[in-house]
């Protein structure tokens, strides 16, 4: 093969061969900065590899000269093409002529683990692309062994043919010949801490976590954050993150051993990495000792002369025998768009979007429709806003927490959202151009409105919207996923999402939210109004058809339909004259409201019976907010009168969210409860006495609080003792994937999450189960 390009020897004329990521690192290392050593497998190797693919498939026969013009609006075709291209690459052979030099060079580092970082350069006249395009591609870990290196190379190369990559290339008119993908190879060592430093004129921000930085990249930890004053380097504020786990290297030869090891396991995807649970005391400590924090600040100050005032670096502090050593692992010289961060809230739904703001000061005065793609800025959102939200690009609310209605609706619809952004409707004006970062919970004001800035905004939208947006294409092929024993279910309410979600690796619908589902058919009128006006038969037909769409799409997989759980203040536009309107946190909600007036519940049961009569036996009923055994018995009798139990597959479950269930579950089982689904949102607010809608109490509303976790563990154990299944469908597993470790360990039978969280939840379940298997194997060996 052609020579390897070592970082400390790369020249200006090598830039197209090594890609931008490696080129920027080479400039820094050659000026004496502490960069993790590495070498580059040039883009020429990928071209030779593609030319040697002996395939009769028309899709790949003309690689690497193909322009790959696809109908990217046909997401099924896009997925099939992407899957075929990647499969061809992954099954091909990488010659020893290429692998051997890489292996021999990497052996000089005397490490057991390598990281292969995509380093991309695109030949295009479009400004700004190369600064940000590498966000499409991810790093790959592998053991320092020839076979593992060959596979890791193929996995890295194949990413340019992922669906979202193909979509991006076509959108920008980029042909395959313009894509130069090199691979930066670096050693991976155990780390004390890792993270990033982002600088701009208005302020610096350091993120840090214990161990390797992959925990941040995978979203499995919430990093510690340090806000630094530019120039002086003074730490203005620091926020403790949430770090239940960390990553390290399986490297006994190094003489450095990770502690604690008992709960650790090799990760299924990265066989040289280990995940390990952090002791509770360590979770409550900041990742960076003062000495290391000051080293990072000093390094950032020095880099200003090289990179300017705006840049991002990723860093790691390697774990030496006596002390740690700070290394730069990645560097980005500038942001894609010139913007200023001026507002912070809670990141409620991930992704980034650039769009024009539309400010609505009075949420009671809902417009009939909203312009497509705007960032909606409003004090608060109630569920009856749902029909209006389908077209918006982003949401900012002044009120609400991570389990507020705005947050839940945004996550299901795949809309980037920030909640609890104080004074947003005052500080933002309609027509302003904003960048909304739902991962960081930040709002930026875009400087300038030139055509070039608009184009850059479009690029950023396209790049980031496909990271966590359920509206974006999802892989239909799941053969590469490890098998899991814990059922993974999905929370849904919108039939418009069925086509994208039904091919995800899910075992059914764990929560079909009726109160959101029926908003699409009620035309702004309360169900009681339909009944009183003699339109019950019409409403029944519409309601039945709504449920049937989900039953049909997921059959024979189960669908758990949760009956209505409305509070009058949640739906101001649908308030009914029959209802009182108590402005309380709880209101007359759940099964208690059925006792007072069962007309709508009776109609729901008739709708379920209609679905059964149509031949669908996969729909079960989930009763919400059950306060007493008497309420459950009342509902069970109604279910029996509707003849739903005549179908043997039908199951009557209840939500476990009112704390009294911790004492009454055996009685509920005796009364006929066939299963429970833990609702962490309400369980948390009732155990801790905190209204989940109040974002300013976000630190108090903690679903990982020992009292909440203990209650969940008790419910799972009680369900096991009663021999009934126990699911969980609240937001906790989606917001905090590290909780999944405990849920699997305790024996949860299923986990149900929003569509945007399916992929990471699947991977978290697989890792948790793998840890349990390996721990059991180790105990057997001893």
């Amino acid at each position: 093969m052609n020579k390897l390009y070592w970082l400390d020897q790369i020249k200006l004329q090598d830039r197209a061969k090594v890609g931008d990521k490696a080129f920027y690192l080479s400039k820094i290392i050659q000026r004496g900065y502490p960069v993790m050593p590495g070498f580059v497998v040039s883009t020429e190797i990928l071209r030779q590899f593609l030319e040697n693919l002996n395939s009769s498939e028309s899709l790949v026969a003309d690689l690497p000269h193909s322009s790959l013009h696809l109908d990217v609006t046909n997401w099924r075709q896009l997925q099939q093409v992407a899957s075929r291209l990647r499969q061809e690459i992954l099954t091909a052979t990488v010659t020893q002529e290429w692998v051997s030099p890489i292996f021999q060079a990497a052996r000089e580092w005397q490490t057991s683990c390598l990281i292969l970082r995509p380093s991309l350069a695109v030949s295009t006249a479009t400004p700004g692309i190369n600064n940000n395009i590498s966000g499409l591609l991810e790093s790959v870990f592998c053991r320092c062994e020839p076979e593992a290196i060959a596979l890791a190379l193929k996995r890295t190369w194949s990413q340019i043919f992922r669906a979202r990559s193909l979509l991006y290339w076509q959108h920008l008119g980029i042909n395959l010949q313009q894509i130069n993908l090199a691979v930066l190879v670096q050693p991976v060592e155990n780390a004390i801490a890792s993270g990033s430093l982002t600088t701009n004129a208005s302020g610096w921000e350091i993120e840090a976590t214990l161990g390797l930085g992959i925990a941040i990249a995978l979203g499995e930890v919430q990093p510690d954050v340090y806000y630094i004053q530019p120039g002086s380097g003074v730490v203005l504020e620091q926020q403790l993150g949430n770090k239940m786990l960390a990553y390290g290297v399986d490297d006994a030869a190094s003489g450095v051993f990770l502690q604690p090891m008992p709960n650790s396991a090799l990760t299924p995807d990265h066989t040289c990495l280990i995940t390990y649970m952090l002791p509770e005391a360590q979770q409550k400590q900041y990742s960076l000792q003062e000495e290391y924090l000051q080293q990072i600040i000093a390094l950032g100050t020095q880099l200003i002369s090289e990179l300017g005032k705006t840049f991002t670096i990723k860093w790691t502090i390697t774990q030496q025998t006596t002390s740690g050593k700070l290394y730069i692992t990645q560097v980005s010289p500038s942001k894609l768009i010139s913007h200023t961060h001026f507002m912070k809230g809670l990141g409620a739904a991930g992704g980034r979007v650039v769009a024009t703001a539309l400010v609505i000061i009075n949420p009671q005065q809902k417009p009939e429709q909203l312009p497509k793609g705007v960032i909606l800025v409003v004090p608060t959102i109630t569920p009856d806003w749902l029909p209006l939200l389908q077209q918006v690009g982003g949401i900012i609310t002044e009120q609400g927490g991570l389990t507020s209605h705005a947050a839940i609706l945004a996550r299901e619809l795949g809309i980037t959202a920030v909640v609890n952004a104080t004074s947003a409707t005052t500080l933002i004006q309609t027509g302003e151009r904003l960048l909304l970062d739902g991962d960081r919970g930040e709002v930026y004001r875009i400087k300038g409105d030139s055509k070039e800035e608009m184009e850059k905004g479009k690029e950023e939208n396209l790049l980031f919207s496909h990271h966590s947006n359920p509206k974006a294409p999802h892989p239909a092929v799941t053969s590469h996923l490890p098998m899991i024993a814990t059922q993974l279910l999905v929370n849904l309410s919108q039939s418009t999402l069925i086509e994208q979600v039904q091919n995800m690796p899910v075992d059914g619908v764990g929560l079909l939210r009726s109160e959101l589902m029926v908003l699409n058919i009620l035309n702004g009128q309360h169900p009681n109004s339909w009944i009183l006006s003699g339109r019950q038969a019409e409403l029944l037909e519409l309601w039945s058809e709504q449920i049937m769409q989900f039953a049909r799409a997921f059959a024979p997989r189960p669908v758990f339909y949760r009956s209505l759980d409305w509070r009058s203040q949640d739906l101001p536009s649908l308030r009914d004259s029959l209802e009182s309107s108590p402005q309380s946190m709880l209101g007359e909600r759940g099964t208690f409201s059925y006792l007072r007036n069962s007309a709508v519940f009776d109609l729901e049961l008739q709708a379920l019976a209609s679905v059964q009569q149509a031949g669908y036996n996969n729909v079960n009923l989930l009763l919400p907010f059950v306060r007493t055994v008497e309420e459950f018995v009342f509902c069970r009798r109604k279910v029996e009168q509707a003849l739903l139990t005549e179908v043997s597959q039908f199951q009557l479950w209840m939500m476990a969210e009112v704390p009294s269930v911790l004492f009454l579950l055996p009685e509920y089982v005796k009364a006929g409860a066939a299963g429970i689904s833990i609702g962490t949102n309400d369980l948390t607010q009732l155990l801790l006495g905190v209204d989940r809608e109040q974002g300013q109490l976000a630190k108090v509303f903690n679903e990982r609080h020992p009292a909440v976790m203990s209650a969940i563990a008790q419910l799972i154990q009680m369900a096991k003792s009663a021999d009934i299944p126990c699911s969980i469908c609240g937001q906790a597993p989606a917001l905090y994937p590290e909780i999944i470790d405990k849920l699997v360990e305790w024996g949860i039978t299923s986990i149900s999450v929003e569509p945007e969280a399916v992929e990471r939840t699947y991977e978290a379940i697989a890792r948790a189960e793998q840890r349990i298997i390996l721990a059991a194997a180790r105990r057997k060996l001893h």
Side-chain angles (χ1 to χ4, degrees):
M1 75 182 282
N2 297 336
K3 67 173 185 176
L4 299 174
Y5 292 80
W6 290 85
L7 286 178
D8 57 0
Q9 298 172 12
I10 291 172
K11 298 179 174 59
L12 178 61
Q13 59 265 31
D14 299 327
R15 182 169 182 171
K17 298 176 184 177
V18 301
D20 286 346
K21 186 177 292 184
F23 180 72
Y24 290 133
L25 278 178
S26 74
K27 289 179 62 177
I28 297 302
I29 196 173
Q30 289 173 31
R31 294 182 185 180
Y33 289 92
V35 173
M36 186 65 72
F39 57 80
V40 180
V41 180
S42 76
T43 186
E44 297 162 338
I45 301 302
L46 171 58
R47 293 198 172 277
Q48 292 176 39
F49 174 79
L50 293 177
E51 286 173 350
N52 291 334
L53 282 179
N54 295 318
S55 174
S56 58
E57 290 282 347
S58 59
L59 289 172
V60 295
D62 57 349
L63 291 178
H65 308 291
S66 170
S67 58
L68 291 176
H69 287 304
L70 306 169
D71 178 10
V72 294
T73 61
N74 184 336
W75 69 270
R76 286 187 184 276
Q77 182 196 74
L78 182 64
Q79 288 292 349
Q80 290 168 356
V81 170
S83 178
R84 171 64 67 184
L85 289 167
R86 298 186 70 198
Q87 189 65 23
E88 287 285 343
I89 290 173
L90 293 173
T91 55
T93 300
V94 181
T95 66
Q96 282 303 308
E97 178 188 352
W98 295 343
V99 175
S100 183
I102 298 171
F103 173 59
Q104 295 302 327
R107 286 182 65 184
E108 295 180 15
W109 294 318
Q110 296 183 336
T111 181
S112 66
C113 190
L114 304 174
I115 183 169
L116 278 63
R117 303 184 190 276
S119 185
L120 195 64
V122 176
S123 306
T124 174
T126 305
I129 281 186
N130 287 322
N131 288 348
N132 211 39
I133 206 169
S134 58
L136 283 169
L137 313 178
E138 297 153 6
S139 299
V140 175
F141 292 83
C142 72
R143 287 195 176 278
C144 188
E145 298 168 354
E147 186 177 340
I149 290 171
L151 178 58
L153 271 175
K154 292 188 291 184
R155 287 178 60 192
T156 307
W157 289 334
S158 71
Q159 292 183 71
I160 62 174
F161 299 107
R162 288 199 294 197
R164 74 181 185 205
S165 300
L166 296 175
L167 181 68
Y168 192 66
W169 310 141
Q170 179 146 333
H171 174 79
L172 294 176
I174 296 172
N175 289 333
L176 195 58
Q177 300 94 301
Q178 297 173 274
I179 301 169
N180 300 301
L181 176 59
V183 180
L184 170 61
V185 182
Q186 292 176 293
V188 182
E189 300 180 22
N190 280 315
I192 295 171
S194 303
S196 64
L197 164 65
T198 300
T199 71
N200 57 54
S202 60
W204 292 11
E205 184 176 299
I206 295 173
E207 289 188 345
T209 193
L210 295 166
L212 297 173
I214 187 175
I216 299 176
L218 294 175
E220 294 183 343
V221 299
Q222 182 181 343
D224 303 330
V225 182
Y226 306 81
Y227 298 98
I228 314 298
Q229 186 178 60
S232 69
V234 172
V235 180
L236 300 174
E237 182 186 353
Q238 57 188 48
Q239 296 176 357
L240 185 66
N242 179 59
K243 313 174 296 292
M244 288 182 69
L245 57 81
Y247 280 82
V249 180
D250 177 32
D251 189 8
S254 68
V256 178
F257 294 93
L258 294 169
Q259 295 293 335
M261 293 300 291
N263 293 325
S264 67
L266 297 177
T267 65
D269 294 333
H270 315 298
T271 54
C272 64
L273 295 185
I274 284 180
T275 53
Y276 54 102
M277 303 302 294
L278 295 168
E280 190 170 343
Q282 204 170 359
Q283 294 177 33
K284 295 177 181 177
Q285 296 174 357
Y286 282 92
S287 304
L288 291 173
Q289 298 174 16
E290 183 64 24
E291 169 194 359
Y292 298 134
L293 178 59
Q294 292 304 321
Q295 285 183 26
I296 296 168
I297 294 172
L299 179 61
T301 303
Q302 294 171 345
L303 283 169
I304 288 176
S305 62
E306 310 287 350
L307 304 173
K309 292 183 178 180
T310 303
F311 62 85
T312 297
I313 63 168
K314 292 188 178 178
W315 52 265
T316 189
I317 301 170
T318 59
Q319 187 172 334
Q320 309 290 332
T321 52
T322 55
S323 62
K325 184 172 181 180
L326 174 64
Y327 285 104
I328 300 170
T329 58
Q330 293 185 61
V331 57
S332 301
S334 63
K335 292 281 186 182
L336 176 64
I337 297 178
S338 173
H339 51 259
T340 304
H341 159 234
F342 75 104
M343 185 179 299
K344 189 168 180 66
L346 298 173
R352 300 174 77 186
V353 64
V354 174
T356 302
L358 174 65
V359 180
I360 296 178
I361 295 175
N362 184 356
Q364 304 296 328
Q365 298 176 350
K366 296 203 314 282
E368 291 187 8
Q369 60 183 21
L370 295 173
K372 185 175 182 179
V374 297
I375 294 176
L376 175 66
V377 186
V378 66
T380 188
I381 284 177
T382 50
D384 54 348
W385 277 77
L386 175 64
L388 286 172
L389 300 180
Q390 306 282 352
Q391 297 296 312
V392 304
I395 297 170
I396 302 173
T397 65
E398 294 180 318
Q399 303 168 27
L402 295 179
T403 58
S404 63
H405 294 303
I408 292 172
L409 290 172
R411 282 193 292 269
E412 179 169 339
L413 296 174
I415 301 169
T416 298
V418 172
V419 299
N420 198 43
T422 306
S423 303
T425 60
T426 304
L427 296 175
I428 299 172
Q429 295 182 351
T430 293
E432 277 195 280
R433 192 99 175 135
L434 303 178
L435 185 154
L436 185 63
D437 189 329
D439 297 305
R440 294 174 176 267
E442 294 175 348
V443 183
Y444 297 84
R445 184 176 278 124
I446 303 275
K447 293 180 181 177
D449 56 359
S450 66
K451 183 178 180 182
E452 182 177 319
E453 291 291 351
M454 297 298 185
E455 287 304 313
K456 289 179 181 178
K458 289 177 184 176
E459 290 166 20
E460 180 149 310
N461 280 347
L462 185 67
L463 177 60
F464 288 101
S465 65
H466 292 277
H467 285 289
S468 57
N469 189 342
K471 293 179 182 177
H474 286 281
V477 180
T478 60
S479 57
H480 66 287
L481 296 174
M483 294 292 291
I484 58 175
T486 308
Q487 283 193 321
L488 177 58
L489 306 170
V490 64
N491 300 338
L492 275 181
S493 68
Q494 302 305 296
S495 57
T496 54
L497 297 178
I498 287 176
E499 187 177 1
Q500 289 126 1
V501 174
Q502 67 184 124
N503 291 323
M504 286 182 174
V506 295
D507 297 299
V509 179
L511 176 62
L512 177 52
R513 294 188 179 98
S514 60
E515 59 275 5
L516 299 181
M517 180 195 77
V518 298
L519 287 174
N520 299 308
I521 61 174
L522 291 177
N523 293 327
Q525 293 182 292
H526 194 284
N528 275 325
S529 300
W530 287 66
I531 293 170
L532 292 173
S533 62
R535 301 172 66 195
Q536 180 167 344
E538 180 185 353
L539 181 59
L540 175 60
E541 183 179 352
L542 292 170
W543 209 305
S544 302
E545 179 52 36
Q546 282 285 306
I547 301 173
M548 207 171 306
Q549 289 183 63
F550 294 92
R552 184 186 304 121
F554 287 91
R557 292 174 287 180
V559 173
F560 286 86
Y561 171 90
R562 187 180 67 186
S563 51
L564 285 181
D565 188 18
W566 274 347
R567 299 179 303 173
S568 57
Q569 62 264 41
D570 288 343
L571 298 153
S573 64
L574 268 72
R575 282 185 185 150
D576 181 66
S577 58
L578 295 177
E579 292 184 324
S580 60
S581 300
Q583 296 301 309
S584 71
M585 183 175 74
L586 302 180
E588 294 180 1
R589 57 176 292 194
T591 52
F592 177 80
S593 67
Y594 306 165
L595 270 72
R596 186 170 176 270
N597 178 12
S598 68
V600 178
F601 182 58
D602 290 337
L603 187 137
E604 287 186 272
L605 297 180
Q606 291 177 54
L608 292 174
S610 297
V611 173
Q612 285 187 350
Q613 290 160 15
Y616 297 103
N617 300 328
N618 58 324
V619 180
N620 305 298
L621 177 60
L622 188 54
L623 296 174
F625 214 77
V626 183
R627 290 180 170 99
T628 66
V629 177
E630 290 73 22
E631 289 177 12
F632 181 87
V633 170
F634 171 84
C635 294
R636 190 205 70 211
R637 288 172 179 162
K638 287 278 186 183
V639 167
E640 291 169 347
Q641 291 167 10
L643 305 180
L644 292 175
T645 53
E646 296 293 307
V647 173
S648 60
Q649 294 95 324
F650 176 81
Q651 295 183 36
L652 177 62
W653 283 35
M654 61 176 281
M655 293 293 297
E657 50 196 352
V658 179
S660 59
V661 72
L662 292 162
F663 307 95
L664 297 175
L665 184 56
E667 299 304 315
Y668 284 120
V669 174
K670 288 179 185 175
I676 60 171
S677 185
I678 301 171
T680 55
N681 303 345
D682 278 319
L683 183 64
T684 301
Q685 77 168 347
L686 295 176
L687 280 172
L688 303 182
V690 182
D691 187 348
R692 64 190 245 200
E693 291 289 325
Q694 300 303 313
Q696 63 269 30
L697 298 175
K699 291 184 178 178
V700 185
F701 186 91
N702 180 8
E703 291 163 303
R704 298 155 294 173
H705 190 285
V708 179
M709 295 300 289
S710 177
I712 293 171
Q714 181 179 328
L715 286 168
I716 294 172
Q717 184 55 52
M718 292 174 75
K720 287 168 71 175
S721 299
D723 197 27
I724 62 170
C726 178
S727 184
I728 187 166
C729 66
Q731 300 300 308
L735 293 174
Y736 313 110
E738 66 273 14
I739 289 177
I740 293 170
D741 267 2
K742 288 295 183 185
L743 295 175
V744 173
E745 179 185 329
W746 293 333
I748 197 81
T749 51
S750 60
I751 298 174
S752 192
V753 296
E754 260 64 44
E756 58 90 21
V758 164
E759 185 177 350
R760 66 176 182 268
T761 304
Y762 193 110
E763 292 170 351
I765 291 172
R767 285 192 295 271
E769 292 182 351
Q770 184 74 0
R771 274 190 280 273
I772 291 172
I773 292 168
L774 289 175
R778 285 175 182 145
R779 286 195 298 270
K780 218 171 200 180
L781 289 172
H782 294 297

